[in-house]
Amino acid sequence: MGARLVRDYEDGAGVAESGPVDWPDPGSYLAATLPVWGLAAGSIQAFLAATDRYRQATGTAPIRHRLDPARIAASFTSDRLLRIDGAPITAFADLSGFFPTFDGWVRTHANYPHHRARLLDALELPADAPVEQAEARMAMIRAADLEELAAARGAIVVQVRDEAQWRAHPQSGSAAAGPLVALVPRADRRRYTLPISGTPYQPLQGVRVLDLTRVIAGPVATRALALLGAEVLRVDPPHLPEIPWQFTDTGQGKHSALLDLRTADTQWESLLDTADVLVTGYRPGALERLGLAGRPGLIHARVSAWGFTGPWAGRRGFDSIVQAATGVAVIEGASAIPGALPAQALDHASGYLLAAGVVDALAARTADGLGRDVRVSLARTATWLLSERGRTPDHPAPAVPGSGTTVTHGRVVTAAPALAEFPDYPFPAGGYGRAEPRWTETPERRPG
């Protein structure tokens, strides 16, 4: 099941090994050729084990956790369970998906308007060009050429590769290098005091988290931290609006504010100086170029698509894109048509692994005060999934989680938390960008 992933996480992060786990039979939840259930359950268990280590470090009583396959599957497929006014959402825009090319397939991602505009620009088409025209243009270009052409214009397109083709690609080695989650101490130090308000179910009360991430992996990580009591302030740029349903799906338990980091120096400095954790999804080097580097003792958690080294380190990417490039889409597809995992599992698992790394970094900081960098990448998670044993090409159709795995708030139905002990998140996703860019609570603390 997920035991190897937990072991790989703990070995790579250099943390104490957790105890034995009662791994339940998942039935056909998250059924796929690749062992998606092991990835999902293992990432949740890694987060739970990290939380127990934090409880121990802060003198908080432990609780008994259990893994519920239906709840985990619902959380990992939350976009499919989401209902707004009774209607499902459309997860991918018309120019996001698989498209045939002159010599194969590509996968595109153009959900955001600026990504759509860049894709059409790369195809030398007007902004109002119909999908059929874009599809016809892609069919006349070689997949590898289209991939490079799009990258040069900031668009998001990858050639669909099989496993052997990915292993031969220069980025493959960089993506597979290093631990599943890198947890790296820095030399900077700050004397932090510990919150006194932590409880067994809310051990992270008093911990302040700045969330500068979008889409799935980063927001899943910060939502998990909010579930355990952290105050999470999500900060978005006002000039790049979020897709509304995505915030509804992963914004539970957080406050949302708009702030232009390029100009709001004083406000941003104040937030960063008083934060415990900063979570970012920017490409490597972007924050440093903006002069937004961390502070002494800060836990800086980063998620990227392709990893932090190699020729693709600076490229944009999403779960579906990484699946297509690394061979996952070929494995999960039919004979000549690429397919996909039953969930955006690279994103969700990477999110829980990132959250585990943050919690273990916080636990370690209670002893030494050191700042730490925590890093995950979707491509590294994909490498783990491709290397895991237990493929089942003749798997049944994935089971659909039932109504007992969802919660309803007014006009919105969303997946319940993956952690079975929690019936719901602290509060549903509120108004996007409506909060002030400041902390809402001043936690009581004891000497560190």
Side-chain angles (χ1 to χ4, degrees):
M1 295 296 180
R4 187 169 82 89
L5 185 125
V6 175
R7 184 171 62 252
D8 288 350
Y9 164 78
E10 291 173 347
D11 288 347
V15 298
E17 182 178 339
S18 55
V21 176
D22 181 15
W23 298 98
D25 181 356
S28 58
Y29 285 121
L30 300 176
T33 298
L34 292 167
V36 177
W37 165 253
L39 176 67
S43 65
I44 297 292
Q45 182 57 37
F47 176 60
L48 295 176
T51 304
D52 280 341
R53 286 187 288 268
Y54 182 81
R55 291 188 180 100
Q56 183 176 14
T58 56
T60 306
I63 66 172
R64 182 176 178 82
H65 290 284
R66 64 184 178 88
L67 298 173
D68 183 328
R71 289 282 291 270
I72 292 172
S75 182
F76 270 60
T77 58
S78 59
D79 58 326
R80 302 179 188 185
L81 298 179
L82 180 63
R83 297 291 184 273
I84 301 176
D85 292 329
I89 55 91
T90 301
F92 291 101
D94 55 4
L95 273 178
S96 295
F98 293 108
F99 291 94
T101 68
F102 181 79
D103 61 348
W105 290 85
V106 293
R107 178 130 196 180
T108 64
H109 197 289
N111 282 8
Y112 285 99
H114 56 289
H115 291 155
R116 179 188 178 89
R118 291 170 185 168
L119 175 58
L120 291 172
D121 179 58
L123 295 172
E124 298 183 345
L125 293 174
D128 60 351
V131 174
E132 293 78 12
Q133 192 173 353
E135 187 171 5
R137 184 66 58 88
M138 285 188 273
M140 296 187 293
I141 306 173
R142 295 183 186 277
D145 293 339
L146 183 54
E147 180 180 79
E148 292 305 312
L149 179 64
R153 304 291 181 91
I156 304 170
V157 178
V158 292
Q159 177 184 1
V160 174
R161 293 174 172 82
D162 62 26
E163 288 181 88
Q165 289 171 319
W166 173 245
R167 284 194 297 268
H169 191 275
Q171 187 61 31
S172 177
S174 298
L180 190 60
V181 179
L183 206 164
V184 183
R186 302 191 307 269
D188 55 88
R189 186 189 307 266
R190 178 175 174 183
R191 182 176 176 80
Y192 277 82
T193 56
L194 302 178
I196 64 174
S197 55
T199 67
Y201 283 88
Q202 300 272 277
L204 298 183
Q205 283 186 358
V207 172
R208 290 170 165 174
V209 179
L210 276 174
D211 178 7
L212 271 62
T213 65
R214 289 187 167 200
V215 194
I216 300 178
V220 163
T222 53
R223 185 182 63 181
L225 300 176
L227 182 66
L228 297 184
E231 180 180 359
V232 178
L233 177 61
R234 173 167 160 167
V235 178
D236 281 89
H239 59 284
L240 290 176
E242 176 61 294
I243 298 171
W245 73 260
Q246 286 188 165
F247 178 74
T248 300
D249 189 37
T250 58
Q252 300 96 319
K254 310 174 192 178
H255 304 286
S256 167
L258 302 179
L259 191 65
D260 191 339
L261 304 188
R262 300 169 300 181
T263 58
D265 294 343
T266 303
Q267 283 180 297
W268 174 248
E269 294 284 343
S270 176
L271 285 172
L272 199 56
D273 280 339
T274 51
D276 295 285
V277 180
L278 171 66
V279 185
T280 63
Y282 290 94
R283 288 169 293 154
L287 279 178
E288 289 76 5
R289 287 192 295 272
L290 287 172
L292 301 174
R295 295 295 185 270
L298 185 75
I299 307 303
H300 186 181
R302 307 184 186 207
V303 57
S304 75
W306 304 109
F308 296 84
T309 61
W312 281 14
R315 291 197 181 185
R316 298 169 176 86
F318 296 92
D319 182 303
S320 58
I321 296 295
V322 174
Q323 286 189 43
T326 58
V328 172
V330 172
I331 293 170
E332 298 295 342
S335 57
I337 303 174
L341 298 174
Q344 296 191 64
L346 304 181
D347 257 330
H348 285 271
S350 296
Y352 283 107
L353 290 169
L354 187 67
V358 167
V359 174
D360 273 323
L362 286 167
R365 196 183 66 180
T366 64
D368 59 23
L370 292 178
R372 283 171 169 80
D373 291 327
V374 183
R375 296 191 296 269
V376 302
S377 78
L378 305 187
R380 181 64 182 87
T381 302
T383 299
W384 186 92
L385 181 62
L386 289 164
S387 69
E388 177 68 328
R389 298 177 297 275
R391 296 187 182 186
T392 53
D394 297 323
H395 61 84
V400 178
S403 59
T405 61
T406 61
V407 294
T408 301
H409 293 281
R411 53 192 285 263
V412 175
V413 177
T414 57
L419 277 60
E421 295 73 29
F422 294 81
D424 201 353
Y425 292 97
F427 50 87
Y432 172 74
R434 294 182 185 174
E436 293 295 321
R438 58 180 175 82
W439 304 111
T440 62
E441 299 179 6
T442 303
E444 295 182 88
R445 294 178 179 256
R446 63 175 181 264

